[in-house]
Amino acid sequence: MSFLVLLLAVWIEKFSALRHRVQRDGGWIRELHKLESSPRLSNRPWLVLIILVLLPVALLGLLLLVLEPVAYGLLALPVHLLVVIYALGRGDLLGGLGPFRDAWRREDLQAAAHVAKRDLDICADSGEQLLDRVQGHLLWEAYQSFFAVIFWYFVLGPVAALAYRLLALAEENSQNPALAERAAQLRHAFDWLPVRLLAASLALVGNFVAVSRVMLHELLNWNISAAHLINKVGLAAGEIPPPVVGPEGINTLDGLWELLLRAAVLWYAGFALWTVLIH
C-alpha cells in the first residue's frame, strides 16, 4: 500500500488542488503560539513538543491501529494518503522561483535581490552569493518538502511522516528560541539518514566521483546540517559552475532541478523493487 500511496500523492500534487486544501496549518500554529507563551509552559519546551507533536502522532497511530484490520486496510488508505499530502512541503517551489528567474535572466540584480527577499527570504551581499543561496534553497526545499517525507513514510509509515512535518512547523514558526532549538535538534536526527541516502542517489545520477570526495569527509559527520550537506553534494553532483549573471545562471537552477527529478525517479524505482521483493 505504501508504494500506491506515494504514486497517488505525486499524482494529486501535480494535477489536483487537494494539497492546498489539506495543508492548513493555521490552527496548529495558533495553538503553538498559545502554548509557548503560556506562563506554565514557556520554560518547558519539551512538554510543548509532546503536546503538539507526540500527541497528534500517537492519536494517528491509534486510528491506524483500528483501521488497518478492517476491509483489508482499505479504510486506512485514505488516511495514509491525506497524511502524506499534509506532510509534504508547503508552497510551490518552482512557482516561487519564477520572479527571481525572470529578474536574473535579464541581469537585473536589484530586482533579483528584491524578489529573493520577498519570495524566498534570502539576502546576500553580492549577485554571485545570491545565486549560490538560491541554488541552496532549491536543493534544501526539494529535500525537506519531498524526499525526507517519502523516505520516512515508506520506512515507518504515516506516523513518522507526520512527526517530521510537525517538527518542521515547530522549528519554523516557534517564537520561543528554546522550543525552536529542541525542534531543530529532533529534526536534525530525522534528517541524518535520508539526506545521506539522497546524497548517494545524486551521486548515482550525477557526478559520482565529485560527490564521493564530498561524502568521504562528511558521511558520518553528525554536526553538519542537512541543508549544508545537500547543498555541497548537489553542486558537486550537478557539476555546477561558479555563479554568473544572466541565462547561464538560470541554467544551473534547471540543471539542479533535473538532477533532483532523476533522483526522485531512482527512489521510486527502488521503492517499487522493494515492494515487489517483499511480496
Side-chain angles (χ1 to χ4, degrees):
M1 184 170 68
S2 296
F3 185 65
L4 174 61
V5 169
L6 291 176
L7 288 176
L8 289 173
V10 170
W11 185 86
I12 289 172
E13 182 186 11
K14 297 300 181 185
F15 303 108
S16 170
L18 178 62
R19 175 179 172 184
H20 302 292
R21 293 197 293 269
V22 172
Q23 292 180 338
R24 297 182 182 268
D25 306 315
W28 190 91
I29 293 173
R30 284 192 297 271
E31 193 65 24
L32 169 67
H33 294 332
K34 177 182 175 182
L35 291 178
E36 67 184 357
S37 61
S38 168
R40 292 190 303 165
L41 299 175
S42 59
N43 295 321
R44 305 175 73 180
W46 286 116
L47 184 55
V48 175
L49 288 176
I50 288 173
I51 295 172
L52 290 177
V53 178
L54 184 59
L55 183 58
V57 164
L59 291 175
L60 174 62
L62 289 174
L63 176 62
L64 292 173
L65 196 62
V66 172
L67 294 179
E68 290 286 357
V70 180
Y72 302 100
L74 291 178
L75 291 181
L77 178 62
V79 177
H80 280 242
L81 184 58
L82 289 174
V83 171
V84 170
I85 292 172
Y86 177 79
L88 294 173
R90 275 50 181 154
D92 181 356
L93 179 54
L94 288 183
L97 290 173
F100 174 82
R101 290 169 59 93
D102 293 339
W104 194 268
R105 183 180 288 108
R106 62 176 185 267
E107 303 184 18
D108 188 344
L109 293 181
Q110 184 175 1
H114 172 71
V115 297
K117 174 60 179 175
R118 183 194 66 193
D119 299 339
L120 311 175
D121 195 25
I122 292 175
C123 297
D125 297 327
S126 65
E128 291 77 9
Q129 188 183 65
L130 181 62
L131 181 59
D132 183 65
R133 291 187 177 179
V134 171
Q135 291 169 347
H137 170 83
L138 172 62
L139 289 164
W140 164 247
E141 288 299 321
Y143 162 75
Q144 71 90 22
S145 296
F146 179 73
F147 288 97
V149 173
I150 67 170
F151 172 84
W152 285 117
Y153 172 73
F154 192 80
V155 172
L156 295 178
V159 169
L162 179 62
Y164 181 85
R165 183 51 54 203
L166 293 181
L167 285 172
L169 289 173
E171 179 187 1
E172 294 163 4
N173 294 283
S174 175
Q175 298 172 347
N176 183 328
L179 194 151
E181 181 181 356
R182 302 302 187 281
Q185 290 171 350
L186 292 173
R187 190 182 182 187
H188 178 71
F190 266 91
D191 282 328
W192 196 89
L193 183 56
V195 77
R196 282 159 176 78
L197 181 60
L198 178 57
S201 304
L202 293 177
L204 293 175
V205 299
N207 188 325
F208 184 86
V209 175
V211 173
S212 299
R213 295 195 190 102
V214 174
M215 293 297 292
L216 182 64
H217 302 286
E218 307 294 358
L219 180 61
L220 300 179
N221 183 0
W222 176 261
N223 296 317
I224 188 172
S225 70
H228 188 197
L229 178 60
I230 200 60
N231 185 36
K232 292 177 65 175
V233 169
L235 297 181
E239 301 178 276
I240 304 301
V244 293
V245 180
E248 292 183 3
I250 297 302
N251 290 340
T252 63
L253 296 177
D254 294 334
L256 289 174
W257 185 250
E258 291 171 3
L259 188 71
L260 291 165
L261 288 178
R262 294 199 297 271
V265 171
L266 180 63
W267 276 39
Y268 268 75
F271 291 156
L273 181 60
W274 179 258
T275 302
V276 170
L277 291 177
I278 64 173
H279 288 88

